[in-house]
Amino acid sequence: MAVEVMRRREVPTERMIARLKERFGDRVSTAAAVRDQHGKDESYHPIEAPDAVFFARSTEEVAEAVKLCAEYKVPVIPFGTGTSLEGHVAAREGGLSIDVSQMDQVLRVSPEDLDCTVQPGVTRKQLNEYLRDTGLFFPIDPGANASIGGMTATRASGTNAVRYGTMRDNVLSVTAVLADGRVIKTASRARKSSAGYDLTRLFVGSEGTLGVITEVTLKLYGIPEAISSAVCAFPTIAAAVDTVISTIQAGVPVARIELLDEVQINACNHYSKLDLKVAPTLFFEFHGTTAGVKEQAEMVASFAEDNGGEGFKWTSSAEERSKLWQARHDAYYAGLSLRPGSKGWATDVCVPISNLAEAINETKKDLETASMPVCLVGHVGDGNFHLCFILDPNKPEEFEEAAAINERMVKRALALDGTCTGEHGVGYGKIGFVEEEHGPATIGVMREIKRALDPHNLMNPGKVIRLGANH
Amino acid sequence: MAVEVMRRREVPTERMIARLKERFGDRVSTAAAVRDQHGKDESYHPIEAPDAVFFARSTEEVAEAVKLCAEYKVPVIPFGTGTSLEGHVAAREGGLSIDVSQMDQVLRVSPEDLDCTVQPGVTRKQLNEYLRDTGLFFPIDPGANASIGGMTATRASGTNAVRYGTMRDNVLSVTAVLADGRVIKTASRARKSSAGYDLTRLFVGSEGTLGVITEVTLKLYGIPEAISSAVCAFPTIAAAVDTVISTIQAGVPVARIELLDEVQINACNHYSKLDLKVAPTLFFEFHGTTAGVKEQAEMVASFAEDNGGEGFKWTSSAEERSKLWQARHDAYYAGLSLRPGSKGWATDVCVPISNLAEAINETKKDLETASMPVCLVGHVGDGNFHLCFILDPNKPEEFEEAAAINERMVKRALALDGTCTGEHGVGYGKIGFVEEEHGPATIGVMREIKRALDPHNLMNPGKVIRLGANH
């Protein structure tokens, strides 16, 4: 069907591109390499190249391009850094990729209000670099150095979410270009408001299907007076998870609790030159005052001990801490290094924390017979965990096997009152699971909203929800 | 126009009520006293009674009633405790009030997951009473003992929001009956999800205009090991606000920071038998470990001292603490007691904290010539403050004067990048200000969503947004 739609759209698309080139010159590219690069994210999904790529420099330019697309009924796919994981940027029906990476300005920082406004192409590392002298930081850290626009669009989170929340909680306002070129700003800079529908949260996680995000206002945080970290090995994953549950229940304001299974620890030991015991392991980070982080670490140490944790040690050394978290952030590459020439497939689910041990244990059992290495890591304070399949790109049967394991893991998460994706998003890779998770009535409402805001289904079509035959 | 619409709807309404009575007997009331009670909230807005009131007992019953209303094109107005402040429950076009106060069951509490699911008629105090033996609590506390359904619908917050967030942050999932009687559940119990549009947040704050909320899943929190409170008088409001800014910027995880101006303190002294200095005053509450709350209080004390605060004293005594916060929660009644027989009009705005001193100072200047007493209180950690006009109900000119002051305060907040309501909501009292705040493009999107989900404008019509002549 996608091919047919593309053909129907071919001629107008050519005309539209010609007009766009007239207006923006060489910032509109139809070079195969550029198109291919924009039709592919970091996932296992194949390239589906757009017809052209437009490198936009302002909200007004995005609006102009989107209006032209609307006139010719050409799809629009927003593009940040291309680090998504479920085929979010694939041009399933062709169309124009709007690359916002040149919209990379931090527009405003207000230290007094602990907030800032950025263009969507600013990356999370760039933002924290920019903030370096202010004593502030932005905590959301998906593995990749993603763009703030993309992180907003996918409702990203990462290791700090257990304390600082996800993009849902940290975006104060969004400026977006809608399907017909209208520009809206969803909210003021007030920390809270009861003034109308929460359009901010509607755009957070909408994956470009409702509009192109062109500005984001974010909450910031003061860099804590003290930061310490800890690491602890456990006899079983269940023991590690029980430690997490005790920590969360006791209200310890832990900044990070990461679980790495024995496969992942083994990979990290080799890749990041660590000498951790090869066992299910928790990494912790504590933020607060000097006395506060000590107190937090002591509480967690006692929970770990109750659950048979071995060798809990905490440190305030910035160097040791940095080594530990660098290893955590490199977990994906560490996994790949287990098998030279391999390709990774990362997937995630999230369940209520009381169901986490069951979800993980059943998944681990399922992995016992897997024919490829699979690493398990998790932001377990939120009940969120990931699998990374380490695949031989020349063995399609491995992809099929991974797909089956993934499907069983997702169905298990749904049966345990969880979600098919805690932070990676839907793209088109999880579009069927989203339907299963929400059921027809709730999906129906999502469709009605999509149709209301994008009646011709031009904004990143084929992502998040399927609209059916007549769109 | 409302009157015309009501006439047009009169005959079908009678038929619909007859059928509803057949089905539900005396749980459908057309008694004038019952109707009047349901056409009025706690605000200054006049009674606009619905044509009938239905006391529902389940989601299925609500769905049945809403379907009947859809068939006859009769408006539906959800009703919880009637404690809203902007005319939210007024039956502007007549119709059926669906009273959910008999849907008052706590359906499930999961201490391990720190969450629960309740019916919408459960009040916040009832929930905390229910949780008493679990060591958990639900922190959101608007002044009134509101229902969880109503708090969800208005995106309520209160004194604890600076630490625990608002209903936006604390609702995990909503079950709602839509305009055509369909029932949807917006999300799983997972703490975070990237699986599709955030319908939860769309229903939080929708004030019954998109559907009737029939179940709510909420985050809960462990009761802190230690709680202490403090009080401090300041030479000026600006000095108090500067103390707040320092506290927030330093990342002190304060649970409550409340500002009371000298008018309010005077009222509280009389009403609640306190002997506080009559001056702008901050009330604080600290939650944490024993060492933690001491540390927090010491940090805040030093900020207060820097800003000329006098007599900062903190206490862990539950009795003193309870007296202080009871006085804070009784602030509205204390205000009314300044003028026997008076009527209160409470209004709120919220601005970025760096603009709070200006917003409050200008408002205080405006109040200098007011012909009635006006109290100012604020959840200042969020940049949110309230005025309460103490009005003589027999002097319409006082209402006009209050309206003018309110309008100037709102316009000031909007000019300072704030919002026309931080927590009271829109109802119809602030519907014009919401248009001014968001502008036509953003309001247009809200209208499109409303039309998509409620094409005949039957769900609490005339609230949150105006749809224009052709709806």
Side-chain angles (χ1 to χ4, degrees):
Chain A
M1 201 189 76
V3 174
E4 209 174 305
V5 171
M6 211 188 305
R7 278 200 199 122
R8 185 158 48 73
R9 284 170 169 169
E10 220 160 74
V11 176
T13 300
E14 276 173 25
R15 286 195 202 126
M16 191 281 298
I17 295 170
R19 280 186 61 187
L20 206 63
K21 278 188 168 170
E22 255 172 52
R23 171 70 181 86
F24 293 108
D26 59 8
R27 284 198 283 127
V28 180
S29 172
T30 47
V34 175
R35 290 169 50 224
D36 280 357
Q37 185 232 328
H38 285 79
K40 174 94 188 78
D41 57 20
E42 284 195 352
S43 72
Y44 64 97
H45 297 286
I47 295 175
E48 294 184 73
D51 296 295
V53 178
F54 168 47
F55 295 87
R57 290 192 181 149
S58 69
T59 299
E60 293 68 32
E61 287 189 1
V62 172
E64 211 176 320
V66 170
K67 266 182 204 154
L68 215 51
C69 287
E71 189 182 331
Y72 289 91
K73 303 276 184 289
V74 169
V76 171
I77 306 110
F79 189 97
T81 57
T83 50
S84 58
L85 292 168
E86 290 294 349
H88 293 75
V89 300
R92 307 228 76 194
E93 304 186 7
L96 181 70
S97 173
I98 298 187
D99 182 314
V100 297
S101 62
Q102 295 182 18
M103 295 174 67
D104 63 352
Q105 299 302 300
V106 176
L107 300 172
R108 181 194 62 76
V109 175
S110 166
E112 276 194 332
D113 295 316
L114 299 172
D115 70 17
C116 69
T117 301
V118 304
Q119 289 189 307
V122 170
T123 68
R124 65 179 185 86
K125 286 186 182 170
Q126 183 196 340
L127 176 57
N128 279 319
E129 189 61 35
Y130 187 96
L131 294 171
R132 188 192 281 238
D133 299 329
T134 62
L136 304 175
F137 79 113
F138 178 66
I140 316 298
D141 65 339
N145 186 22
S147 67
I148 299 296
M151 288 168 62
T152 304
T154 55
R155 205 181 291 126
S157 47
T159 64
N160 285 303
V162 64
R163 168 136 181 182
Y164 297 95
T166 73
M167 290 304 278
R168 176 185 76 195
D169 310 295
N170 285 290
V171 173
L172 287 171
S173 174
V174 160
T175 299
V177 175
L178 304 188
D180 57 4
R182 268 181 302 171
V183 177
I184 66 161
K185 186 162 171 282
T186 57
S188 75
R189 281 174 57 224
R191 278 281 156 154
K192 64 184 199 187
S193 171
S194 286
Y197 302 154
D198 192 343
L199 298 185
T200 307
R201 249 54 55 185
L202 186 63
F203 276 84
V204 173
S206 62
E207 301 188 2
T209 63
L210 301 179
V212 183
I213 293 170
T214 60
E215 267 183 40
V216 186
T217 297
L218 297 167
K219 291 188 194 173
L220 300 173
Y221 298 83
I223 294 172
E225 175 192 317
I227 302 179
S228 70
S229 60
V231 60
C232 186
F234 289 85
T236 62
I237 279 196
V241 170
D242 284 343
T243 304
V244 174
I245 292 179
S246 301
T247 303
I248 298 294
Q249 272 198 287
V252 181
V254 62
R256 292 168 157 167
I257 315 185
E258 294 290 307
L259 172 70
L260 295 83
D261 78 347
E262 69 287 355
V263 183
Q264 184 68 64
I265 289 289
N266 179 46
C268 289
N269 275 345
H270 285 95
Y271 186 82
S272 301
K273 316 270 177 277
L274 302 176
D275 56 355
L276 298 170
K277 178 173 175 174
V278 178
T281 301
L282 292 176
F283 288 7
F284 298 92
E285 190 165 278
F286 309 104
H287 292 180
T289 60
T290 306
V293 299
K294 183 167 179 289
E295 193 177 44
Q296 291 178 46
E298 284 167 358
M299 287 176 76
V300 172
S302 81
F303 298 136
E305 200 181 325
D306 292 347
N307 288 291
E310 294 167 60
F312 183 97
K313 51 175 182 185
W314 71 279
T315 175
S316 291
S317 148
E319 199 185 340
E320 279 185 63
R321 188 159 47 78
S322 155
K323 194 174 172 193
L324 193 70
W325 290 106
Q326 190 57 50
R328 170 61 191 90
H329 278 117
D330 288 342
Y332 179 72
Y333 306 104
L336 292 179
S337 77
L338 289 173
R339 201 176 180 190
S342 61
K343 208 167 165 55
W345 171 349
T347 177
D348 84 312
V349 293
C350 185
V351 297
I353 202 167
S354 67
N355 293 332
L356 184 60
E358 184 178 344
I360 290 182
N361 279 333
E362 294 297 312
T363 302
K364 286 290 288 179
K365 261 189 232 163
D366 201 7
L367 295 178
E368 279 168 14
T369 55
S371 57
M372 78 290 285
V374 189
C375 299
L376 187 151
V377 294
H379 311 312
V380 279
D382 303 311
N384 182 208
F385 69 96
H386 306 236
L387 290 186
C388 187
F389 303 102
I390 313 297
L391 302 167
D392 182 335
N394 300 314
K395 292 190 176 165
E397 65 274 22
E398 287 195 3
F399 285 82
E400 277 168 38
E401 189 186 339
I405 295 171
N406 183 40
E407 182 169 350
R408 288 193 292 274
M409 179 178 75
V410 167
K411 284 179 190 284
R412 210 173 283 131
L414 298 185
L416 293 168
D417 210 357
T419 178
C420 68
T421 171
E423 57 179 33
H424 291 179
V426 185
Y428 71 93
K430 283 196 166 166
I431 208 161
F433 295 141
V434 165
E435 288 169 5
E436 200 170 328
E437 175 171 337
H438 292 295
T442 304
I443 290 287
V445 171
M446 292 187 193
R447 284 197 183 117
E448 286 162 21
I449 291 169
K450 165 74 174 175
R451 284 197 193 103
L453 300 191
D454 179 20
H456 301 292
N457 191 26
L458 297 178
M459 306 311 286
N460 209 1
K463 313 298 164 58
V464 184
I465 43 168
R466 288 187 277 226
L467 293 182
N470 62 348
H471 282 170
Chain B
M1 201 191 72
V3 174
E4 212 173 301
V5 172
M6 209 186 310
R7 276 196 200 124
R8 184 157 50 73
R9 284 169 170 171
E10 218 160 78
V11 176
T13 300
E14 275 172 25
R15 284 193 204 130
M16 190 281 298
I17 294 171
R19 280 186 62 188
L20 205 64
K21 278 188 169 170
E22 255 171 53
R23 171 69 180 87
F24 293 109
D26 59 8
R27 283 198 285 128
V28 179
S29 173
T30 48
V34 175
R35 291 169 50 224
D36 279 359
Q37 185 231 328
H38 285 78
K40 173 93 189 80
D41 58 19
E42 283 195 351
S43 72
Y44 64 96
H45 297 285
I47 295 175
E48 294 185 73
D51 295 297
V53 178
F54 169 46
F55 294 88
R57 290 192 182 150
S58 70
T59 299
E60 292 68 32
E61 286 190 1
V62 171
E64 211 177 320
V66 169
K67 266 182 204 154
L68 215 52
C69 286
E71 188 182 332
Y72 290 91
K73 304 274 184 290
V74 169
V76 171
I77 307 109
F79 189 97
T81 57
T83 50
S84 58
L85 292 168
E86 290 294 349
H88 293 75
V89 299
R92 308 228 75 193
E93 304 186 6
L96 181 70
S97 173
I98 298 188
D99 182 315
V100 296
S101 61
Q102 295 182 16
M103 293 173 69
D104 62 352
Q105 298 302 299
V106 176
L107 300 173
R108 182 193 61 76
V109 176
S110 167
E112 276 194 332
D113 295 315
L114 300 173
D115 70 16
C116 69
T117 300
V118 303
Q119 290 189 307
V122 170
T123 68
R124 65 178 184 87
K125 286 187 181 171
Q126 182 195 342
L127 176 57
N128 279 318
E129 189 61 35
Y130 186 96
L131 294 171
R132 188 192 282 238
D133 298 329
T134 63
L136 304 174
F137 78 114
F138 179 66
I140 316 297
D141 65 338
N145 185 22
S147 67
I148 299 295
M151 288 167 62
T152 304
T154 56
R155 205 181 291 127
S157 48
T159 64
N160 285 304
V162 63
R163 169 137 181 180
Y164 297 96
T166 72
M167 291 303 277
R168 177 186 75 194
D169 311 295
N170 285 289
V171 174
L172 287 171
S173 174
V174 160
T175 299
V177 175
L178 304 188
D180 58 4
R182 266 181 303 172
V183 177
I184 66 163
K185 185 160 172 287
T186 57
S188 76
R189 280 173 59 224
R191 281 279 156 154
K192 64 183 198 188
S193 172
S194 287
Y197 302 154
D198 191 343
L199 298 185
T200 307
R201 250 52 56 182
L202 186 63
F203 276 85
V204 173
S206 63
E207 302 189 2
T209 63
L210 301 179
V212 183
I213 292 170
T214 61
E215 267 183 40
V216 186
T217 297
L218 297 167
K219 289 188 196 173
L220 301 173
Y221 297 84
I223 294 173
E225 174 192 319
I227 301 178
S228 71
S229 59
V231 59
C232 186
F234 288 85
T236 61
I237 278 195
V241 170
D242 284 343
T243 303
V244 174
I245 292 179
S246 301
T247 302
I248 298 295
Q249 272 199 289
V252 181
V254 63
R256 292 167 155 167
I257 316 185
E258 294 290 307
L259 172 70
L260 296 83
D261 78 347
E262 68 287 354
V263 182
Q264 184 68 64
I265 289 289
N266 178 47
C268 289
N269 275 346
H270 286 96
Y271 186 83
S272 300
K273 317 271 177 276
L274 302 176
D275 56 354
L276 298 169
K277 178 172 176 176
V278 179
T281 300
L282 292 177
F283 288 8
F284 298 91
E285 190 165 277
F286 308 104
H287 293 181
T289 60
T290 306
V293 299
K294 183 165 177 290
E295 194 178 45
Q296 290 178 46
E298 284 166 359
M299 286 177 76
V300 173
S302 81
F303 297 137
E305 201 182 325
D306 292 346
N307 288 291
E310 293 168 60
F312 182 96
K313 51 176 181 185
W314 72 279
T315 175
S316 290
S317 148
E319 198 185 340
E320 279 186 63
R321 188 159 47 79
S322 155
K323 194 174 171 191
L324 193 69
W325 290 106
Q326 191 57 50
R328 170 62 190 89
H329 278 116
D330 288 342
Y332 179 72
Y333 306 103
L336 292 179
S337 77
L338 289 172
R339 202 175 178 189
S342 61
K343 209 166 164 54
W345 171 350
T347 178
D348 85 311
V349 294
C350 185
V351 298
I353 202 168
S354 67
N355 293 330
L356 184 60
E358 183 177 345
I360 291 183
N361 280 333
E362 294 296 312
T363 302
K364 288 288 287 180
K365 261 189 229 162
D366 201 8
L367 295 177
E368 279 168 13
T369 54
S371 57
M372 78 289 286
V374 189
C375 299
L376 187 152
V377 294
H379 311 313
V380 280
D382 302 312
N384 182 208
F385 68 97
H386 306 235
L387 290 185
C388 187
F389 302 102
I390 312 298
L391 302 166
D392 182 336
N394 299 314
K395 291 188 176 167
E397 66 274 22
E398 287 195 3
F399 284 83
E400 277 169 38
E401 189 185 339
I405 294 171
N406 183 40
E407 183 170 347
R408 287 194 292 274
M409 179 178 74
V410 167
K411 283 179 190 287
R412 211 174 283 131
L414 298 186
L416 293 168
D417 210 358
T419 178
C420 67
T421 172
E423 57 178 33
H424 292 179
V426 184
Y428 70 92
K430 283 194 167 169
I431 209 162
F433 295 141
V434 166
E435 288 170 5
E436 199 171 328
E437 177 171 335
H438 292 295
T442 304
I443 289 288
V445 172
M446 293 187 193
R447 283 195 183 119
E448 285 161 21
I449 290 169
K450 165 74 173 172
R451 283 194 195 106
L453 300 191
D454 179 20
H456 302 292
N457 191 27
L458 297 179
M459 306 310 286
N460 209 1
K463 313 297 164 58
V464 184
I465 43 168
R466 288 187 277 225
L467 293 183
N470 63 348
H471 281 170

